Amino acid sequence: DAKTTQPNSMESNEEEPVHLPCNHSTISGTDYIHWYRQLPSQGPEYVIHGLTSNVNNRMASLAIAEDRKSSTLILHRATLRDAAVYYCILSLTQGGSEKLVFGKGTKLTVNP
Amino acid sequence: GAVVSQHPSRVICKSGTSVKIECRSLDFQATTMFWYRQFPKQSLMLMATSNEGSKATYEQGVEKDKFLINHASLTLSTLTVTSAHPEDSSFYICSARQGAEAFFGQGTRLTVV
């Protein structure tokens, strides 16, 4: 299975940008990079995904290294509601279905 | 956006009984749904892939006779925890994909006493 490595935890201040790193050195050419986040006692929520090019949406930006062995999720202005566990996931296709296998994620704390 | 709904959100059952958890895709059809389990302070662990009209595919180490999955329609998958024991107490989460995006239910917290 393609695996990802993330820091266990990170801390940020409100209104400041946050850069959440992810290493995926064994990524294959067809693996998409997905980011999800999970608030306590809730199901995960989609944040963003990409393949090769950097991506932007209303929630965040995703910067993908040229060799695709790492990526960074960027929250441009952290708010208290962004405090969550952020998961970087490589989609895995087996048996015709594309499934998401979660790693340990990064717990983001946002200080007021 | 698409919504996946789980029911119940919380359930307490006695040891030895069975519990059924429902997962519905409310505004889209899902031929495939996924079931996860999450223990406190741990990540989500994929248990099985639920396939509409056919047998579920279980991950290694997950007992298919204990965790019965039925995906009888394009909008409903159910997970039944049979003969539940306290070690089955966990947070169970389902998801369904629409395009590249996966939508997750709000989770079911199962407590076996």
Side-chain angles (χ1 to χ4, degrees):
Chain A
D1 292 0
K3 298 227 186 301
T4 62
T5 305
Q6 298 176 252
N8 290 334
S9 62
M10 290 186 67
E11 218 169 302
S12 171
N13 294 321
E14 205 174 5
E15 301 293 312
E16 291 183 355
V18 182
H19 290 232
L20 297 165
C22 180
N23 287 320
H24 28 78
S25 58
T26 59
I27 190 171
S28 72
T30 56
D31 285 335
Y32 277 80
I33 302 158
H34 301 258
W35 284 83
Y36 284 78
R37 70 181 185 183
Q38 185 181 25
L39 278 66
S41 298
Q42 294 186 28
E45 171 189 33
Y46 169 83
V47 179
I48 202 165
H49 78 283
L51 183 62
T52 56
S53 303
N54 294 343
V55 184
N56 299 295
N57 66 20
R58 62 175 179 81
M59 288 182 69
S61 295
L62 176 59
I64 302 172
E66 199 169 326
D67 63 5
R68 299 206 332 122
K69 293 187 176 182
S70 65
S71 61
T72 302
L73 178 70
I74 303 166
L75 306 179
H76 296 285
R77 291 179 66 191
T79 69
L80 297 178
R81 287 175 294 180
D82 291 323
V85 178
Y86 286 78
Y87 296 98
C88 168
I89 305 165
L90 303 182
S91 55
L92 175 66
T93 301
Q94 277 187 351
S97 65
E98 191 176 0
K99 54 186 179 181
L100 299 177
V101 178
F102 285 73
K104 295 183 179 180
T106 296
K107 183 176 182 179
L108 175 66
T109 301
V110 180
N111 300 313
Chain B
V3 176
V4 172
S5 177
Q6 258 182 267
H7 178 80
S9 56
R10 290 178 181 273
V11 58
I12 301 173
C13 71
K14 291 185 177 180
S15 189
T17 62
S18 296
V19 173
K20 180 186 284 188
I21 303 170
E22 292 187 348
C23 179
R24 295 181 184 273
S25 56
L26 295 187
D27 51 1
F28 67 103
Q29 294 182 331
T31 55
T32 303
M33 291 186 178
F34 302 90
W35 287 96
Y36 294 83
R37 180 168 55 178
Q38 185 174 34
F39 292 108
K41 299 190 185 302
Q42 294 187 24
S43 183
L44 284 77
M45 185 196 82
L46 180 64
M47 298 176 67
T49 302
S50 171
N51 304 299
E52 189 267 335
S54 65
K55 291 182 180 180
T57 306
Y58 290 82
E59 296 298 306
Q60 193 171 9
V62 178
E63 299 175 61
K64 61 181 180 180
D65 294 330
K66 181 166 184 62
F67 299 100
L68 301 179
I69 291 172
N70 184 278
H71 194 152
S73 79
L74 288 171
T75 58
L76 174 64
S77 175
T78 60
L79 169 69
T80 301
V81 182
T82 63
S83 186
H85 291 285
E87 56 265 31
D88 299 323
S89 298
S90 189
F91 193 51
Y92 292 85
I93 307 169
C94 69
S95 81
R97 304 223 21 199
Q98 188 178 45
E101 189 172 338
F103 296 91
F104 290 80
Q106 66 270 45
T108 297
R109 187 160 304 282
L110 169 64
T111 303
V112 184
V113 298

